[in-house]
Amino acid sequence: FSGCAKTNVTPSQNDSASMVAEVPQVMYKTLNDSPVCSMTLSSEPVTPGGLTVVFEYTGADEGLFGMWYSLEIKQNGFWTPIPYLPIQDNIERSWESIGFPVQKDSPRTETIDWTSLYGELDAGTYRLIKDFINSRSPGDYDTYYLSVDFEINK
């Protein structure tokens, strides 16, 4: 499951404060180019600590999304990845490789609370990015990166 493999981040022994900020790796070349899946904001309110998205799938079999996501902020007309909060107390950070199925013509929601990774967001224009797998059969799939833009107003 691309984008959802376990990724570990551990502070260096030389970090006197035992804190390291990590910038998420950009794993996509294009966004929202799938003919069979989409992600939109739900009708639930967007808060500085999270939001709810809706996945829709129109492919022949089933689609999957996982735990992984990334947040970017729009600054001076450009999208910039938001750094994770610093790691404290050598606690490992990782993504679980879990696939949540989305059946054809049966939307599925996901509520994301990003406060443990990013904290509460300040006012601004942001986008959430998630990967989605169009699975035709075992070993036969395409990975798409979906995004949804949103505003935080404080």
Side-chain angles (χ1 to χ4, degrees):
F1 198 148
S2 176
C4 290
K6 186 174 181 182
T7 304
N8 300 326
V9 180
T10 306
S12 150
Q13 295 291 340
N14 298 330
D15 292 327
S16 59
S18 293
M19 295 175 62
V20 173
E22 175 195 5
V23 176
Q25 207 174 12
V26 175
M27 301 185 330
Y28 57 88
K29 292 182 182 176
T30 60
L31 293 170
N32 300 322
D33 64 343
S34 169
V36 296
C37 58
S38 65
M39 178 177 69
T40 57
L41 284 175
S42 80
S43 59
E44 298 293 318
V46 175
T47 71
L51 55 68
T52 300
V53 292
V54 179
F55 291 95
E56 294 190 52
Y57 181 71
T58 59
D61 295 308
E62 80 176 2
L64 299 168
F65 67 89
M67 301 289 293
W68 177 86
Y69 65 90
S70 181
L71 290 177
E72 296 179 345
I73 185 168
K74 194 170 196 177
Q75 297 176 318
N76 302 318
F78 296 96
W79 291 106
T80 304
I82 300 174
Y84 295 139
L85 293 172
I87 293 176
Q88 298 182 8
D89 301 324
N90 290 328
I91 294 173
E92 189 176 273
R93 181 179 287 148
S94 63
W95 295 102
E96 292 183 79
S97 292
I98 299 173
F100 300 101
V102 181
Q103 303 301 319
K104 182 177 181 174
D105 300 324
S106 182
R108 182 167 182 165
T109 62
E110 179 187 21
T111 300
I112 297 171
D113 177 341
W114 53 65
T115 56
S116 65
L117 286 176
Y118 297 101
E120 289 202 351
L121 301 180
D122 292 327
T125 301
Y126 296 87
R127 74 177 170 191
L128 171 81
I129 300 166
K130 291 201 50 89
D131 57 351
F132 192 94
I133 305 295
N134 176 24
S135 178
R136 291 176 292 277
S137 63
D140 183 17
Y141 62 90
D142 295 313
T143 302
Y144 296 99
Y145 291 90
L146 307 176
S147 71
V148 64
D149 299 359
F150 61 95
E151 297 281 331
I152 299 290
N153 300 305
K154 285 189 171 182

